[in-house]
Each structure stands twice: as structure tokens, then as C-alpha cells.
Amino acid sequence: MILRRFLLAGVACGLAASPTALAAQVRDGAVAPGGGMAAGGADPAQAGSAPGGAVANAAPSARRARITPYVEVGQLLSADLNRGDVVTYTTLAAGVNAAVQTARAEGQISYRYEHRIGWSDRAGSGDVHSGLARGSYRLTRDLSVEGGALATRSRADIRGAAPGVLVGDIGNISQIYTAYIGPSLVTQAGPVQIGANYRLGYTRVDTPGLSGLAPGQPRLDYFSDSVNQLATFSATARPGAVAPVGLSFNAAYDRDDAGQLAQRYEGWFVRGDVLKPISPYVALTTGVGYERIETSQRDPERDAAGRPLVDSRGRFITDPDGPRRIAYRTDGVYYDAGVIWRPDRRTSVEGHVGERYGSLSLTGLARYQASRGVVIQAAVYDGIQTFGRQLRNGLSNLPTDFIETRDAFGQQFNGCVFSATGTTPGGCLNDVLQSVQTSVYRARGADATIAMSRGRSTLGFGIGYANRRLFAPEGSPGIIVYGAEDESYYAQIFFAHALGLHSGLNVNGFVNYYASRLAGAEDVVSLGTTASYYRNFGRLGTTASVGLYHFTVGDLTNALSAQALIAARYQF
């Protein structure tokens, strides 16, 4: 009992939760004019806080808590259907699933450590960490603490292999860890709503065991780790409170320090917005801001032939005496205008168009609550990003009450995560996890998620497009991404059905398309599906899973594989 209370307290205090009005971000934008959320601006000042003054979510009244540690043993078979090779693994795992929801605290954690033992020289052994944590704790009426953590596996190089089953000695796969935490304040000063928050984040990526690249492809540098900090402030007033129109002011500072090549991102932002209602359901909004963004790095050390030196893990060695070189810089005014449409409590649509980063910039967000168990959300985003910052923002947008699945083949939490309730559909990390990127980039794209729950069945669907324009110091030795672009299209579907109180069926499917404009790069297509049946006998649970995966890299690499797993889990 003491152990359970200790772990539940950790869930409540250490996880991340739904942001306040100021920190509610889609990709990295502050709350949009009119009280909606800016769809994915890449900076905290993408759009201003709502002049209408959004109200923080009411604390849940129900009190519930659960914690379920477990151990598991399984046997996995993987067959290469092109070459006829078959390998087997024994899996030994331990994990915990926990959730808490009280008047002050809400959050959820699902973590799993797994050790895989190969039964042949072709089946490599190894360790895998996968987990997601989200939650918040309300310290006072106005002050709360939020945080989150993620452990998953994903592709390292967008040009390389895209295996569907992340087990064994496979190429182009890295283990990723990230976490963030910070306080949020929302209070009133007369007719003005004041908001402030601070976020401290950390990301670490292990180097991939194999490159998974076609012969002759020049290698990219490997991401190491980064520490990022975000501080924001906002003041908003509803129409009629201090003026006939709604007014808002926003300011932010964002910094990311990466270990690789001493890379640094630093951004300062200030912005003002005006909102003018023209009907009970429609409002026009416009905003203007000033921003200064600068990213820089040092060159790698070189040998006598001028080639970059690498360490034992394959990362470039930073030249500590070399000058800092600018990878990207912008300094000036940006602006946009938009419209907000809210015909009823279930529907909210907004869009913004303006000029930013020297070109046209589009952002938007749409949300529709079709019924108690059906919710749809779509977003369009645009902004300057780093891998660590974009992953932090994607993590903060995931739900605090998500669907736990018995992951069989290592795909958990590296794509779409669907909500277990009908209040939010969930979110997708595909845009940032299409590959691990060491360079700063302009991220543009759109995605949509749908969650449906009825009776014993749950359905989730996510789809999106992501484009990244890469920046690096021109002429830097070993850096080949200057001015290049990459893009991806992705879709994922999840279906769960409870056959009874103690058994059920889960089905997953995904398809991805990756394209890189680096010299000599080939397009990559990856798709697959899995199905799992589980049956519980008291504290003992059993799972049987099958999977089928296929990926191609241009015309040279074509992989087709099938997997099967049986496992037994004991829950304490």
C-alpha cells in the first residue's frame, strides 16, 4: 500500500497535463486570437492569447487512482518473407500502468522495459524502453505544475530503412528519451487575464546501430542531446472590458542548447492582437509582432585531409576553438490576420494568413465534437524548429488520459497517441519523429486526428503531411543539408474492441511515405498492420499477436516480413 501511494504521488506531481490558456500550444504557438489555439506556429508568439480571455478547465470532481505493475515473458518469431530467414527471440519485460484523477491532480503513465534475447547469431539481443507520461498538479486556484516524459524508438535518417518491427539488430533506428516540466499561472487583474508559464525540457537520442542507408550515401551527423527552456507571458481582455474590441499582449523567450557541435537556438518574441466580433458566431482578428531568432553552431574538427572527425559513437567531434557560425537568423516584424467561427459549443474553426520568415505563412485549427464519444481535430502549422523543441511541444499536446495498448513489436508512442475519453482525439508525433534531425529547420504541415468511442469499441485515426526546410552554415565541413528539404505523408488507424470483461481485440495499421531532397536520396515507403488478442485470468494475462510489414527504399531495397508473438503477463 505504501508503494502504491508513493507511485501515485509521483504520477500526480511529476507528469505533464493539459496546458493553461497561455501554454495551450499546437506545435509551438501560444493561444490564438479569440481564445482558440494557434495551429502550430513554431514559436511561442505565433499568435496572441485570446482577447476574449480563455477560462482554465475546471478541475475534475471524480476521485480515482489505479496503479498496475507487471512482469511479462514472451516468445517472438520474425520471418523475412523475401529471403526465407526466420529468427526467434525471448522477451523479458517489466512495466507499470498508472493513472490518477482528483480535484487537484490528473495524469497517466505507461512504461515498459524489455530485454530481448536472440536465439541465433542473426537475431541480435538488446534492451528497449517505451513509455509515455502526462499529468498536472494544481497547487492553488491559479497555479499548477505540468510535465511529461516519453521513451520510444524511431528512425534516425529519413533516407534510410523504415522497418515496421523495431526488434533485433535493425538499421536506422534510435532510442529516444524526452521530458519536460514547469509551472503555469493563470489569474485575473481586474478585467485583464494574466498568464505566465515556464518549461524546462531535455531530449536525448542514442546513435543507431546500423545506418540502413543505400551504398554511396554520405552520412549525416547524429543527434546527441539538448536542453530547452521556454518562458511566456500574456495579458488579455475581452471585447468591452477595456475597449470595444478584444486586446492581447504576448511576450516569450525560447532557447535550445544542443550538445552536438554546440548548437544553439535562441528566440525573442513580442506580439499584440486585436479581436473584433462581427456576429455572435464570427470574429475577425489581426496581430503584429516582432521576433528575433538566431541559430548557430561550431564546425567539427578535421583531419589532415579536411574530413570531419567522429567519436566512437559516430558523432562529429566539435572544434572547441572554432568560431560560432550562423545557421539561420531572422530579425524583424511579422503580421497576420484571421477569422474565427464558433457557431455552437461543439464547433470551433479558425484560420490565420500573414507574412513570416520572408514568405507567406498559414496556420489554423478546427475542432468538432460530433457527440459525447466522437471528436475531430485538424491543424495547420508553420514555424522555425529544432528537434528537441518540436518534440517537447508535441509531447505537451498529447492527452493526459490516453489508450494503453499491449505493444508487441516496438511501435508504441512513436506515431499517433489516441485519447481514452471523448473530450480530445489525441495527437500525432509523426511530424517530428519522421527522422531525428540535427539541423534547425522550418516546419510546415497539417494533420488531423479522429477519436470515436461507442460501447465496447474505440476507433482512432490520424493523418498528416510534414515538410522541413533545413538550415546549416553554408560551406561547413561535413554538413550536407544546407538548403535541402524533406517531407513525409503519414496515416495511422487503431481499433479496439472488448469481447467481454476479460478479453479483447486490438488492431493497428499505418502507412508512411518519406522523401528527401538530399543528393542521391531515394523515396521511402513503409506500411504495416498488427492484430492482438488478449485474455485475462485474474492477475494473469495472455496475449497473442501477429504483424505484417513492408518497406521499400527506391528501387534497391524491398523488405517484407511477418511476425508472431505469444506472451504471458502477471499483474501485481
Side-chain angles (χ1 to χ4, degrees), residues 66-90:
R66 63 174 175 86
I67 181 167
T68 310
Y70 66 85
V71 293
E72 183 179 294
V73 60
Q75 192 69 22
L76 185 148
L77 179 145
S78 181
D80 186 330
L81 301 183
N82 288 337
R83 296 182 297 181
D85 294 337
V86 178
V87 294
T88 57
Y89 305 86
T90 295

Side-chain angles (χ1 to χ4, degrees), residues 449-532:
T449 49
I450 303 172
M452 304 175 62
S453 179
R454 174 173 293 183
R456 295 182 176 182
S457 300
T458 300
L459 175 68
F461 179 72
I463 187 170
Y465 164 77
N467 175 278
R468 299 189 296 197
R469 180 172 178 81
L470 311 178
F471 302 106
E474 188 174 5
S476 183
I479 307 299
I480 64 172
V481 301
Y482 176 79
E485 291 190 29
D486 58 42
E487 61 183 357
S488 64
Y489 298 84
Y490 51 88
Q492 181 177 334
I493 189 170
F494 169 80
F495 174 75
H497 179 71
L499 301 175
L501 293 177
H502 306 291
S503 64
L505 179 69
N506 296 329
V507 179
N508 264 299
F510 69 90
V511 58
N512 299 300
Y513 170 79
Y514 308 101
S516 173
R517 302 305 171 224
L518 292 173
E522 300 278 1
D523 293 352
V524 180
V525 177
S526 173
L527 64 156
T529 183
T530 63
S532 299

Side-chain angles (χ1 to χ4, degrees), residues 289-334:
Y290 168 80
E291 65 184 347
R292 183 181 176 218
I293 301 174
E294 181 178 290
T295 65
S296 61
Q297 65 186 55
R298 301 189 189 277
D299 286 342
E301 292 186 351
R302 288 170 282 181
D303 60 17
R307 294 170 300 198
L309 298 177
V310 297
D311 61 17
S312 59
R313 297 181 179 273
R315 297 188 177 102
F316 289 170
I317 298 175
T318 306
D319 182 358
D321 300 322
R324 298 201 68 84
R325 305 184 63 181
I326 301 300
Y328 176 83
R329 175 188 287 159
T330 183
D331 188 347
V333 174
Y334 68 99

Side-chain angles (χ1 to χ4, degrees), residues 240-288:
V242 298
V245 295
L247 301 172
S248 75
F249 170 80
N250 292 262
Y253 174 75
D254 202 358
R255 177 163 176 154
D256 185 37
D257 292 279
Q260 196 56 23
L261 297 181
Q263 293 171 342
R264 182 195 308 160
Y265 167 100
E266 199 164 22
W268 297 261
F269 311 89
V270 63
R271 178 186 172 99
D273 287 272
V274 176
L275 179 141
K276 173 61 176 177
I278 61 174
S279 81
Y281 313 117
V282 179
L284 301 179
T285 179
T286 184
V288 61

Side-chain angles (χ1 to χ4, degrees), residues 415-450:
C416 297
V417 177
F418 299 106
S419 174
T421 66
T423 57
T424 176
C428 295
L429 299 176
N430 305 68
D431 56 346
V432 59
L433 294 180
Q434 57 181 304
S435 65
V436 180
Q437 183 55 252
T438 58
S439 300
V440 66
Y441 50 91
R442 182 177 180 179
R444 288 178 286 184
D447 61 21
T449 49
I450 303 172

Side-chain angles (χ1 to χ4, degrees), residues 325-409:
R325 305 184 63 181
I326 301 300
Y328 176 83
R329 175 188 287 159
T330 183
D331 188 347
V333 174
Y334 68 99
Y335 56 88
D336 60 59
V339 60
I340 301 172
W341 178 55
R342 292 181 177 172
D344 52 53
R345 297 179 60 185
R346 299 187 301 170
T347 307
S348 176
V349 179
E350 66 177 280
H352 303 266
V353 57
E355 183 173 351
R356 200 173 187 188
Y357 315 123
S359 64
L360 181 70
S361 178
L362 301 172
T363 61
L365 181 71
R367 188 177 188 278
Y368 176 58
Q369 183 88 42
S371 65
R372 185 179 183 88
V374 180
V375 60
I376 304 170
Q377 183 167 294
V380 179
Y381 57 91
D382 180 12
I384 303 301
Q385 286 287 8
T386 63
F387 180 77
R389 291 171 54 250
Q390 191 177 19
L391 187 55
R392 174 199 68 196
N393 297 323
L395 174 60
S396 70
N397 288 317
L398 296 183
T400 58
D401 191 3
F402 53 87
I403 295 175
E404 300 169 355
T405 61
R406 297 191 180 185
D407 176 46
F409 306 118

Side-chain angles (χ1 to χ4, degrees), residues 114-288:
E114 182 175 305
H115 179 69
R116 292 168 177 163
I117 304 171
W119 282 34
S120 68
D121 294 337
R122 292 176 291 117
S125 301
D127 300 319
V128 177
H129 299 268
S130 62
L132 173 64
R134 289 283 286 113
S136 72
Y137 186 79
R138 188 177 299 277
L139 299 171
T140 68
R141 179 185 177 89
D142 301 328
L143 182 64
S144 63
V145 177
E146 307 171 10
L150 173 72
T152 188
R153 306 186 89 196
S154 191
R155 301 175 71 228
D157 193 319
I158 197 168
R159 304 167 298 169
V165 180
L166 309 185
V167 298
D169 192 14
I170 53 179
N172 203 32
I173 296 298
S174 291
Q175 178 77 51
I176 299 172
Y177 308 91
T178 190
Y180 82 96
I181 192 169
S184 294
L185 174 71
V186 179
T187 188
Q188 289 289 138
V192 179
Q193 183 183 48
I194 304 297
N197 74 14
Y198 173 76
R199 296 288 180 270
L200 175 64
Y202 176 75
T203 298
R204 195 191 87 186
V205 179
D206 294 342
T207 56
L210 300 170
S211 67
L213 294 177
Q217 284 285 319
R219 67 179 301 277
L220 300 178
D221 197 9
Y222 294 140
F223 188 94
S224 174
D225 62 354
S226 72
V227 176
N228 52 75
Q229 302 180 70
L230 169 65
T232 63
F233 171 83
S234 70
T236 66
R238 294 178 179 274
V242 298
V245 295
L247 301 172
S248 75
F249 170 80
N250 292 262
Y253 174 75
D254 202 358
R255 177 163 176 154
D256 185 37
D257 292 279
Q260 196 56 23
L261 297 181
Q263 293 171 342
R264 182 195 308 160
Y265 167 100
E266 199 164 22
W268 297 261
F269 311 89
V270 63
R271 178 186 172 99
D273 287 272
V274 176
L275 179 141
K276 173 61 176 177
I278 61 174
S279 81
Y281 313 117
V282 179
L284 301 179
T285 179
T286 184
V288 61

